[in-house]
Amino acid sequence: MSYDPPRPAGRLLLTPEDKEAPARVRRLRALGLGSHPEPSLDVFAYSLAELTGAPYAMVNFLGHEGQFFAGLHTPTAAPAHRGDGTGALLGRVLPRDHGFCPHVVARRRALALEDVSDYPRFAGNPVVDEFGIRSYLGAPLIDSTGTVLGTVSVTDVRPRAWGRPGLDAIKAQAAGLVPRLERREGDGLPPCGPPTPPMG
């Protein structure tokens, strides 16, 4: 699966420019999102992990400088991916240059990386070494104003053949979440709809 044409080596690891950050931050503030964990989004992330069979699932809102996982599901123990048998668990905050969600936000389209080591642009990303991430599947949260609020995504510590079913599933989950974010009430998000069956 291709992402984009090869780039000169000096530009491979650049995080995309985020010209929409000021408008996104204003919109997130208006919706009361992006500054604190949301239990209902943690539940959403858990259901996303169950749907895809991935150890990590996130609802990620991007600000000026970093990323905040208002919804997060992680394994109970860090997967071992280092030579000494240790690993690290993903937390709620990441710098903008970590991970692949900033690319989804910049391109405004879903992204499936079945094995990040196949993509020179992504293989050197810090999350590969720090958390052992080997595959990624994410889609943008585009609201009714056309603002990309952030992403929904899953990651795994092993390569995954996401394929068309994976892309369709993550895009459907993002599209279903946006209206819930926009009609949120002061005490949290409205309840989820019926569960989606696991990916095949």
Side-chain angles (χ1 to χ4, degrees), residues 5 19 23 27 43-44 56 60 77 90 100 114 124 130 133 154 166 170 182-183:
K19 295 178 180 176
R27 181 69 172 139
V43 171
F44 181 90
Y56 294 101
N60 184 6
L90 191 64
F100 313 109
E114 298 184 345
E130 291 178 30
I133 301 303
V154 295
I170 200 74
E182 290 192 297
R183 68 174 186 259

Side-chain angles (χ1 to χ4, degrees), residues 46-133:
Y46 174 80
S47 68
L48 200 56
E50 289 287 301
L51 172 68
T52 59
Y56 294 101
M58 294 78 72
V59 178
N60 184 6
F61 299 122
L62 284 75
H64 290 291
E65 302 297 328
Q67 307 173 68
F68 181 74
F69 301 127
L72 178 64
H73 172 76
T74 64
T76 52
H81 66 274
R82 298 180 181 136
D84 63 0
T86 65
L89 277 178
L90 191 64
R92 293 236 180 226
V93 177
L94 276 181
R96 256 197 96 247
D97 65 348
H98 281 52
F100 313 109
C101 290
H103 297 270
V104 171
V105 168
R107 43 187 263 143
R108 302 175 66 93
R109 291 192 338 228
L111 174 64
L113 300 172
E114 298 184 345
D115 186 341
V116 297
S117 64
D118 290 341
Y119 303 88
R121 180 182 182 94
F122 300 119
N125 193 280
V127 297
V128 175
D129 290 334
E130 291 178 30
F131 305 106
I133 301 303

Side-chain angles (χ1 to χ4, degrees), residues 33 38-41 43-44 176-193:
L33 295 168
E38 298 274 356
S40 55
L41 292 180
V43 171
F44 181 90
L177 182 57
V178 168
R180 295 177 56 211
L181 296 174
E182 290 192 297
R183 68 174 186 259
R184 51 186 277 114
E185 299 170 359
D187 58 352
L189 296 168
C192 292

Side-chain angles (χ1 to χ4, degrees), residues 27-28 31 108 141-149 178 182:
R27 181 69 172 139
L28 289 170
L31 293 170
R108 302 175 66 93
L141 293 164
I142 303 176
D143 75 2
S144 60
T145 71
T147 303
V148 182
L149 301 175
V178 168
E182 290 192 297

